[in-house]
Amino acid sequence: MCIRDSYIAWGIAAIFAVAIVCLYSRIKLAIAVVKCAAMFVNDCWSSLVVPPVVLILVLFHICWLFIVGVYIYSIGEIDPKSNAVIRPLILDSKTKYYLYFHIFGCFWNIALSLAFCEFILASACAIWYFQRQDKPFYILPSIKRAIFNHLGSLAFGSFILAIVWTVKLWLEYLAEQSRQAHNQVTEFIFRVLSYCVSCFERFIKFLNKNAYIQIAIQGKPFCESAAAALSLMIRNAVRFGVT
């Protein structure tokens, strides 16, 4: 038993050794990227302020989502046919549209805030890398670029992500309704669809982030930058996996 386990351990170690030898150049590139990122943070210390500010903004939108959502939901009438201790509210079609619009708008604002964070950091890093200005303030020019030059691209990318989040929430709601109705078949279908949308959500996030990087470097529109980012990821799949 011990001899067999030792053979298995040696086999795994040999596989790792071969992988390290084969991916030596990729690992060396990943180390260089990490070193460059550390140099950027050291030179542009103001970049450390961006994520906390965006986090506060996202938390504000989340609080706004729940507070205003509760106010909109309270417009409904109490169901007179219900005998429950806490009776549900009946919403008319107009109030439902208000609620849907509010949820989607908050999702869009949250996605746009995250897009601003990713673009500002990518733009600051691009300015630092290509121009090498002797000043630590790369964030303000990046904010100016985001607002005056690429706001439409950031809004479009975040709009796509907001649609994905809305569809995912809708499928989760339908799955919960099916569970309460004891319909296991439809619940399973909606859970599977929700999982597929979650996988697509991860792809959209990854594509958007690389599209924002392309926009920060080249200054092209979102669709063209997303196509360039997708082509770059396909051509360098192994490098993306290692780095």
Side-chain angles (χ1 to χ4, degrees):
M1 187 69 178
C2 295
I3 297 177
R4 187 185 65 180
D5 293 340
S6 63
Y7 284 151
I8 294 174
W10 276 106
I12 296 174
I15 293 174
F16 273 104
V18 172
I20 291 174
V21 172
C22 295
L23 298 176
Y24 173 76
S25 60
R26 306 292 189 268
I27 297 174
K28 187 177 180 181
L29 176 63
I31 295 173
V33 170
V34 173
K35 288 183 178 179
C36 187
M39 292 172 59
F40 165 71
V41 174
N42 182 64
D43 293 341
C44 183
W45 50 266
S46 56
S47 62
L48 300 175
V49 182
V50 177
V53 172
V54 174
L55 176 60
I56 294 173
L57 190 59
V58 170
L59 292 176
F60 169 78
H61 286 305
I62 293 175
C63 294
W64 182 264
L65 170 64
F66 284 101
I67 293 174
V68 178
V70 169
Y71 274 103
I72 295 175
Y73 187 76
S74 64
I75 299 176
E77 300 291 336
I78 297 177
D79 187 4
K81 298 180 181 180
S82 177
N83 295 322
V85 177
I86 302 177
R87 291 188 289 180
L89 298 177
I90 301 176
L91 304 179
D92 56 14
S93 58
K94 180 183 263 188
T95 306
K96 288 182 180 179
Y97 288 139
Y98 289 156
L99 187 60
Y100 299 155
F101 180 79
H102 168 67
I103 293 174
F104 179 77
C106 289
F107 282 169
W108 195 357
N109 285 327
I110 293 172
L112 184 59
S113 301
L114 298 176
F116 263 97
C117 179
E118 293 174 350
F119 176 82
I120 289 172
L121 292 177
S123 177
C125 186
I127 296 173
W128 168 82
Y129 186 82
F130 292 105
Q131 297 183 7
R132 295 289 183 172
Q133 299 178 2
D134 295 330
K135 56 181 181 179
F137 300 103
Y138 302 94
I139 299 300
L140 293 180
S142 301
I143 295 175
K144 183 179 178 181
R145 290 185 64 199
I147 296 175
F148 294 102
N149 298 107
H150 303 292
L151 181 59
S153 297
L154 300 180
F156 185 71
S158 58
F159 176 77
I160 297 174
L161 184 58
I163 292 177
V164 175
W165 284 346
T166 305
V167 173
K168 181 180 177 181
L169 180 64
W170 179 64
L171 291 174
E172 290 290 341
Y173 171 76
L174 293 178
E176 182 62 23
Q177 292 295 109
S178 300
R179 187 189 67 81
Q180 294 180 2
H182 304 288
N183 193 334
Q184 297 181 353
V185 176
T186 56
E187 180 186 359
F188 176 77
I189 293 174
F190 289 132
R191 296 292 183 189
V192 172
L193 291 176
S194 178
Y195 177 78
C196 294
V197 173
S198 298
C199 295
F200 185 67
E201 175 195 355
R202 294 184 179 91
F203 170 75
I204 291 296
K205 286 181 177 179
F206 187 70
L207 180 62
N208 279 0
K209 181 176 70 173
N210 287 276
Y212 299 149
I213 294 174
Q214 292 291 326
I215 295 172
I217 296 175
Q218 301 181 3
K220 295 181 179 180
F222 176 82
C223 294
E224 190 174 350
S225 299
L230 183 61
S231 176
L232 182 65
M233 287 186 291
I234 293 175
R235 295 196 311 268
N236 301 274
V238 177
R239 292 185 179 181
F240 272 90
V242 174
T243 55

